[in-house]
Amino acid sequence: MADDVSSKIKRRSFLKAGAGAAIVGALVATVAPLRNLKAGSLDGFFQQHYKRLSVADLQAIIARLEGEIGRDYGAAVSIKDPKPKPGVRFAYALNLSRCNGSRRCVTACVQENNQSRDPAIQYIKVLEMPSGTFDLEKSDQHYDHEQVPMDGKFYLPVQCQQCEDPPCTKVCPVEATWKEPDGITVIDYDWCIGCRYCMAACPYEARRFNFSKPEIPTEDINPNMGYLSNRIRPAGVVEKCHFCLHRTREGKNPACLEVCPTGARVFGDLNDPESEIRYIVQNKRTYILKEEAGTIPAFFYYFDV
Amino acid sequence: MVKDYIQFLGRACKLSFTGGSTFYAWMIFLTILCGIGGNAYMNQFVTGLASTGMTDQVSWGAYIANFTFLVGVAAAAVMLVIPAYVYKNKEMHDVVLFGELLAIAAIVMCLIFVTVDLGRPDRFWHLIPIVGKFNFPISLLSWDVIVLNGYLLLNLHICGYLLFCKYMDRKPTWLFYIPFVFIAILWAVSIHTVTAFLYVGLVGRPFWNAAIIAPRFLCSAFVAGPAILILAFQVIRRISDYRIPDKGLHLLRNIVTTALLINLFLFSCEVFKEYYSGALHSASMTYLLQGLEHHGETYTALVPWIWSALLLEVVAAVILITPLGRKIGYLDAACVCCIIGVWIEKGMGLIIPGFIPTPLGNVVEYVPSTNELLVCMGTWAFGILLYSWMLRLAIPIMSGQFSHRHGIALSSHHSE
Amino acid sequence: MNGTYYLAFLRKVTVVASLAAIVAGCSESYPPKEGLYQRQVDGEVFDITPVRGALKPLRYKRGSFDYACTECHNDFASPRRQNPLQGEHADIDARFDHGMNTYCVNCHHQTDRNVYVDHDGSPIPSTEPARLCAKCHGPTYREWELGIHGRQNGSWERNSPNRTKLLCIQCHDPHQPAFPMMVPDPPTIVTRFDVGGAEESPHSPANESAKPRGETEHGR
């Protein structure tokens, strides 16, 4: 009788121990993938929103980011934070009579802004449209002709329109994206939580998401970076065209304009009454995309004739 | 009081692990599914959302589709509250509790789905006001965070309070739950309206930018939620002695029938609006119902799904409006058809076509990856596990077998 | 006679030298010279070579003879009308495509091939080609003056010293001014599952052409 009970007890303890071990084993197996996780720094975790950073904070953050990019990508980079020029309001015009669909702007943008090559991200999409319609559903983004331009088509490059009343900044739950005084809608890549609501909201398909950590060969990295613009983004955040603000806030042209072979692009300050962009907006028959959406883009399309 | 509460918690813990072999098998099975889902999520946490099937073009997929469906279920579960409290139907009072427990489980699943969908879940604290930056009231997503969490707290309070009072054999104080119950009625409508407004407010997505979306959401919620409850009640009847009045089932059946008919009507309104004028913006509806032709390719991935969903809903409607619907077996079949039909209609029939075609006219279809599906499965398993655990505690409390006086005194002929 | 001839010769040399300077700037061969079309500002390098292609001066070829126009037409005036180009000049015609402008002497001076000619016959120095183009392309010239025709590199600020404006003939070959067709850069990736369009996405059931690029010439 005593043997019976003791053997029952032994069996029960054995079963309990076995069950316990099985549970622990299962838990370990469940979280096993985490051993491949590269933990970020604690400073990075507690980093505040861009608008709340003091100058000293930002310097420290930039120093840390430069170090991280150096380690992760093997390139010595320098990140600046140019402030908007007072009284400037940027706008872009694109002459649809001149664009020949060469996509040089797409390539230049990718090179300038350190976009991931794998998976490939491109801020600018050039739409090949049949002449006579503005129905975007008839567009073809993936034309692959031997030569351009093709007869009976016109070419419509689309990138972030830097809207006056952007739907994307309205929907962001953490205010990671906002409109700066010079008209550029920017993203704080270290604040974005990756919910992608802004991507659903954008009527121009302007935003891209980093589904994984960007991969860029070291030799392709542009070391002149801006904190709100072309520094290499982390995984899980949204990015988009920012009018090359690390260039334009210092008086230079955006990369897409610099390489346009037909000179179809015009960029400048709408507040300057003598600027070319002002002339175009006041004198040419300009069109904006999806005017009915009420977003008031800063990107004007026009034809010469 | 506090001592009683702690004792209650301790006993509840013990009760959680008490049960027959069926109970153990069920819970272990669900736990294993959770584990698999958890493992899949760890994969996703490490590699990023690249492990899902989502793309820039279709940036919300299975996670948000399931989230949308479950918010509806959570909202509807509380609809029992109206007849019980507004119409002062004493018999319904106890039954209401099970509905609210379902709401808790559904809301927890919603919160999990939203969290696994984030690209940077480690930055969750950015949502906290003052410490982070909370874009309230402009961002609808911030409204959603408030209403979902508020609803969870409301229901946790109501259920917790009522159950604890029943455990203590005390009559619940009116002030501690009736006001909350009435708030919960309004709040339930608001959680699903806010979720609908997430989509309605987007001017760049003409498929969603329509006033009818919010009523459609609520209607389909009142189909799926009570249908789930009908099935849950029958499970409760089978696994315990607890008496669920037939009146409750009839009430739920009536809600499902009415809501289903209105849901079908609203869907046909949408179809008419898109097809009659043949305007350009009807491309998403065309994609959904017929398939879309784009640069020589035809895209029809969702067509079999939506037609199956419509068929299921019509079959369910026919069963429910005829005398067949009074027979329990047919009622169950109709409920299953409803749940699956609404799930497809809301998830694949509403979320995914909003992204196709894209605002620039491109067509990219979406197929969830295996990892994504495993995470979904794990989340559902967790929700069902949670509900099973809550029933494990609630049923003995409501039937008096788990009470303050004699602890856990389960009757011997429990068939679990 | 000697003095005037010598002066005329000196003038010719100066003009030819400036023309050569401009032409050299236009780059006579590809890849272009370093400096002018590689913008190097703070280490960033863009290739902003205009699309006009190599300078292809028209030459008169007959048998084994290969002459520049100036070798004969500096000494005697050519007739006002010479359409169609006859005989020895017929092959020049084949490489000359300036739309309705079919007379050489609409642009070139009748006796002095080193200058251009204005409406009234007075010369336009070869350092001011825009004045020549403006004779017929008024609206385009006005827009070029304003800065909205053609590309202005360097800066968007109007008064920036870094701003450069190209001359007409730096983008347009004057004898074939229409832009040649270009080979476009590779198509936009369809989804993130395609890298350069080489493979079909495992997840998107159907996608666009997205053919592999292979070797392609970029007509820069």
Side-chain angles (χ1 to χ4, degrees):
Chain A
M1 186 59 177
D3 283 336
D4 258 349
V5 172
S6 71
S7 66
K8 267 196 196 144
I9 293 172
K10 277 198 199 128
R11 189 169 61 216
R12 209 178 335 162
S13 348
F14 176 75
L15 281 173
K16 276 192 184 161
I23 291 171
V24 169
L27 275 171
V28 169
T30 305
V31 300
L34 286 183
R35 68 176 183 274
N36 293 328
L37 187 67
K38 277 194 217 115
S41 69
L42 213 57
D43 290 328
F45 181 76
F46 287 112
Q47 185 178 323
Q48 262 295 343
H49 189 276
Y50 172 81
K51 285 185 178 170
R52 291 178 177 164
L53 297 174
S54 68
V55 176
D57 286 338
L58 191 57
Q59 292 304 324
I61 289 170
I62 283 177
R64 174 173 50 84
L65 287 171
E66 288 172 353
E68 282 174 9
I69 294 175
R71 273 195 311 276
D72 290 340
Y73 293 94
V77 303
S78 95
I79 302 177
K80 292 194 284 261
D81 181 40
K83 297 295 179 200
K85 285 186 183 231
V88 166
R89 188 88 183 166
F90 287 129
Y92 220 132
L94 206 137
N95 190 340
L96 294 177
S97 295
R98 301 282 169 226
C99 178
N100 66 348
S102 67
R103 290 204 189 101
R104 300 289 187 267
C105 49
V106 180
T107 312
C109 173
V110 168
Q111 285 168 348
E112 174 68 25
N113 290 304
N114 293 314
Q115 289 162 44
S116 173
R117 306 296 197 264
D118 182 16
I121 291 181
Q122 295 160 337
Y123 291 161
I124 305 175
K125 293 186 152 110
V126 181
L127 306 180
E128 182 184 67
M129 303 278 296
S131 292
T133 176
F134 254 96
D135 177 13
L136 295 176
E137 276 165 37
K138 298 201 170 64
S139 72
D140 184 3
Q141 293 173 18
H142 313 300
Y143 61 91
D144 192 9
H145 309 298
E146 294 284 319
Q147 299 208 307
V148 284
M150 298 293 278
D151 274 339
K153 308 274 188 203
F154 70 94
Y155 294 89
L156 190 71
V158 182
Q159 61 211 71
C160 173
Q161 310 274 294
Q162 315 289 353
C163 307
E164 188 94 359
D165 183 15
C168 55
T169 55
K170 271 195 264 197
V171 298
C172 178
V174 289
E175 284 183 59
T177 180
W178 67 94
K179 205 157 170 62
E180 291 262 295
D182 57 356
I184 304 181
T185 307
V186 297
I187 303 172
D188 182 355
Y189 307 117
D190 290 329
W191 194 254
C192 173
I193 60 173
C195 72
R196 308 183 304 293
Y197 196 7
C198 55
M199 293 177 70
C202 178
Y204 306 103
E205 219 180 305
R207 287 173 170 254
R208 313 277 175 263
F209 184 68
N210 284 289
F211 285 89
S212 53
K213 190 156 175 204
E215 278 189 30
I216 313 166
T218 312
E219 62 271 13
D220 287 344
I221 292 180
N222 175 8
N224 304 310
M225 299 182 174
Y227 183 79
L228 290 173
S229 60
N230 69 334
R231 64 170 162 117
I232 299 181
R233 275 69 62 184
V237 300
V238 172
E239 54 181 275
K240 64 174 188 65
C241 164
H242 39 68
F243 275 5
C244 283
L245 62 82
H246 56 285
R247 296 174 57 88
T248 54
R249 284 181 175 175
E250 290 175 358
K252 297 186 241 177
N253 282 324
C256 44
L257 188 151
E258 287 277 334
V259 298
C260 176
T262 57
R265 289 173 172 263
V266 176
F267 180 83
D269 174 18
L270 268 182
N271 287 340
D272 175 3
E274 316 267 320
S275 62
E276 294 85 5
I277 182 73
R278 187 70 173 258
Y279 180 87
I280 290 172
V281 168
Q282 288 177 325
N283 293 289
K284 294 287 193 182
R285 278 195 317 282
T286 55
Y287 305 92
I288 53 179
L289 290 180
K290 306 208 185 199
E291 187 164 357
E292 71 278 7
T295 52
I296 315 177
F299 213 97
F300 301 95
Y301 297 94
Y302 67 102
F303 291 93
D304 264 343
V305 287
Chain B
M1 175 56 73
V2 178
K3 219 171 52 133
D4 290 326
Y5 191 65
I6 294 176
Q7 189 190 43
F8 166 67
L9 289 176
R11 283 174 172 173
C13 273
K14 193 151 167 281
L15 180 58
S16 308
F17 290 95
T18 313
S21 48
T22 324
F23 173 71
Y24 264 89
W26 174 243
M27 298 301 258
I28 289 175
F29 168 68
L30 287 176
T31 312
I32 291 174
L33 290 183
C34 288
I36 296 173
N39 179 278
Y41 181 66
M42 296 299 157
N43 259 326
Q44 183 186 291
F45 192 73
V46 171
T47 60
L49 285 169
S51 62
T52 67
M54 294 186 273
T55 52
D56 279 336
Q57 290 84 354
V58 185
S59 48
W60 277 342
Y63 297 150
I64 298 297
N66 279 304
F67 160 78
T68 311
F69 175 74
L70 287 166
V71 174
V73 169
V78 93
M79 288 321 286
L80 292 176
V81 171
I82 295 180
Y85 290 93
V86 176
Y87 295 111
K88 299 218 174 18
N89 189 328
K90 282 284 190 285
E91 275 181 3
M92 295 293 299
H93 269 220
D94 297 337
V95 161
V96 159
L97 195 79
F98 298 119
E100 286 176 341
L101 290 175
L102 178 66
I104 293 175
I107 287 289
V108 169
M109 278 196 268
C110 287
L111 294 173
I112 295 176
F113 271 120
V114 167
T115 312
V116 300
D117 185 62
L118 288 180
R120 295 298 302 243
D122 56 315
R123 292 182 182 172
F124 209 94
W125 68 269
H126 292 182
L127 278 165
I128 303 172
I130 302 170
V131 189
K133 248 181 186 282
F134 195 54
N135 193 7
F136 182 82
I138 296 181
S139 166
L140 259 303
L141 209 47
S142 67
W143 281 81
D144 222 17
V145 167
I146 294 175
V147 295
L148 287 179
N149 286 298
Y151 191 66
L152 180 63
L153 291 172
L154 260 177
N155 278 308
L156 280 173
H157 166 75
I158 295 171
C159 295
Y161 181 71
L162 286 176
L163 283 173
F164 187 58
C165 284
K166 182 83 187 180
Y167 165 83
M168 298 292 289
D169 281 319
R170 258 211 334 256
K171 201 170 175 312
T173 316
W174 186 95
L175 189 64
F176 284 165
Y177 81 105
I178 290 290
F180 294 99
V181 162
F182 280 93
I183 294 173
I185 296 174
L186 290 170
W187 206 281
V189 174
S190 82
I191 61 169
H192 215 25
T193 311
V194 167
T195 306
F197 282 176
L198 279 181
Y199 304 104
V200 174
L202 301 182
V203 74
R205 305 275 173 191
F207 187 64
W208 294 336
N209 192 220
I212 205 175
I213 297 290
R216 270 186 75 191
F217 265 42
L218 281 164
C219 244
S220 50
F222 294 151
V223 173
I228 292 180
L229 269 177
I230 289 175
L231 296 176
F233 283 170
Q234 302 200 44
V235 170
I236 292 173
R237 276 182 173 177
R238 214 174 285 270
I239 62 168
S240 75
D241 296 331
Y242 192 76
R243 235 204 93 249
I244 296 188
D246 273 345
K247 204 169 177 164
L249 280 177
H250 291 319
L251 175 69
L252 288 173
R253 193 200 65 233
N254 289 337
I255 294 176
V256 173
T257 314
T258 317
L260 185 56
L261 294 171
I262 301 178
N263 191 38
L264 286 168
F265 172 70
L266 292 181
F267 186 77
S268 53
C269 290
E270 284 266 68
V271 171
F272 173 79
K273 175 240 177 193
E274 299 287 12
Y275 276 97
Y276 185 76
S277 51
L280 296 177
H281 282 171
S282 62
S284 293
M285 184 65 85
T286 313
Y287 169 71
L288 182 62
L289 291 175
Q290 297 169 264
L292 200 58
E293 213 243 302
H294 184 77
H295 293 307
E297 299 261 7
T298 318
Y299 300 89
T300 56
L302 287 184
V303 175
W305 288 94
I306 190 64
W307 285 104
S308 315
L310 286 172
L311 184 68
L312 284 169
E313 287 186 17
V314 166
V315 163
V318 166
I319 293 177
L320 287 171
I321 58 179
T322 58
L324 272 179
R326 297 198 169 265
K327 299 205 182 108
I328 281 292
Y330 283 98
L331 177 62
D332 289 345
C335 286
V336 169
C337 288
C338 281
I339 295 167
I340 299 178
V342 168
W343 186 87
I344 297 174
E345 187 207 323
K346 241 175 170 162
M348 297 147 134
L350 221 126
I351 308 304
I352 308 301
F355 292 103
I356 299 168
T358 65
L360 294 182
N362 196 13
V363 177
V364 172
E365 291 192 299
Y366 164 75
V367 175
S369 67
T370 313
N371 207 61
E372 211 174 342
L373 290 171
L374 288 176
V375 174
C376 290
M377 174 195 78
T379 313
W380 273 95
F382 184 75
I384 299 172
L385 183 68
L386 198 64
Y387 193 54
S388 308
W389 171 68
M390 287 191 288
L391 287 180
R392 176 73 269 222
L393 298 176
I395 297 173
I397 293 177
M398 299 306 291
S399 60
Q401 289 168 338
F402 177 31
S403 79
H404 179 243
R405 262 176 301 137
H406 42 78
I408 305 168
L410 301 169
S411 54
S412 52
H413 65 272
H414 250 192
S415 62
E416 41 168 3
Chain C
M1 168 78 169
N2 238 4
T4 48
Y5 194 76
Y6 178 68
L7 276 173
F9 175 74
L10 209 57
R11 195 191 61 193
K12 251 179 267 176
V13 164
T14 326
V15 165
V16 167
S18 8
L19 184 60
I22 291 182
V23 161
C26 297
S27 75
E28 291 168 2
S29 60
Y30 273 80
K33 237 174 31 192
E34 286 282 330
L36 186 64
Y37 294 128
Q38 313 292 129
R39 289 207 62 74
Q40 295 231 0
V41 185
D42 297 333
E44 297 146 0
V45 180
F46 297 120
D47 183 0
I48 57 169
T49 313
V51 76
R52 61 162 281 176
L55 177 69
K56 295 186 282 282
L58 300 179
R59 291 183 75 83
Y60 167 73
K61 293 183 180 131
R62 190 185 185 191
S64 58
F65 295 114
D66 188 342
Y67 297 118
C69 309
T70 52
E71 291 182 57
C72 296
H73 287 279
N74 260 349
D75 301 324
F76 54 88
S78 38
R80 251 224 80 83
R81 289 173 186 281
Q82 74 285 2
N83 196 20
L85 291 176
Q86 289 180 354
E88 300 89 354
H89 298 81
D91 68 327
I92 294 176
D93 208 8
R95 285 176 288 123
F96 175 56
D97 181 12
H98 200 128
M100 288 188 344
N101 180 9
T102 49
Y103 298 159
C104 306
V105 294
N106 280 342
C107 296
H108 292 286
H109 196 273
Q110 272 185 289
T111 47
D112 186 354
R113 285 293 182 276
N114 298 314
V115 297
Y116 309 120
V117 66
D118 208 342
H119 287 298
D120 58 356
S122 59
I124 295 176
S126 52
T127 47
E128 295 172 41
R131 265 182 61 196
L132 168 66
C133 308
K135 274 167 66 176
C136 298
H137 300 286
T140 308
Y141 173 75
R142 282 194 287 279
E143 293 194 342
W144 176 79
E145 282 276 293
L146 282 170
I148 61 179
H149 180 94
R151 188 180 66 211
Q152 291 194 85
N153 285 100
S155 171
W156 54 265
E157 285 171 322
R158 248 182 322 119
N159 303 317
S160 165
N162 290 328
R163 235 187 181 188
T164 59
K165 190 147 72 172
L166 295 162
L167 293 172
C168 320
I169 57 173
Q170 286 180 295
C171 286
H172 300 279
D173 179 345
H175 300 124
Q176 287 174 313
F179 267 30
M181 308 256 297
M182 291 174 66
V183 179
D185 279 354
T188 312
I189 41 133
V190 183
T191 68
R192 65 182 175 91
F193 297 112
D194 314 316
V195 184
E199 336 147 41
E200 251 226 331
S201 150
H203 294 279
S204 296
N207 53 38
E208 303 301 328
S209 55
K211 296 186 282 289
R213 286 302 296 179
E215 277 108 83
T216 52
E217 266 179 43
H218 285 230
R220 288 193 212 226

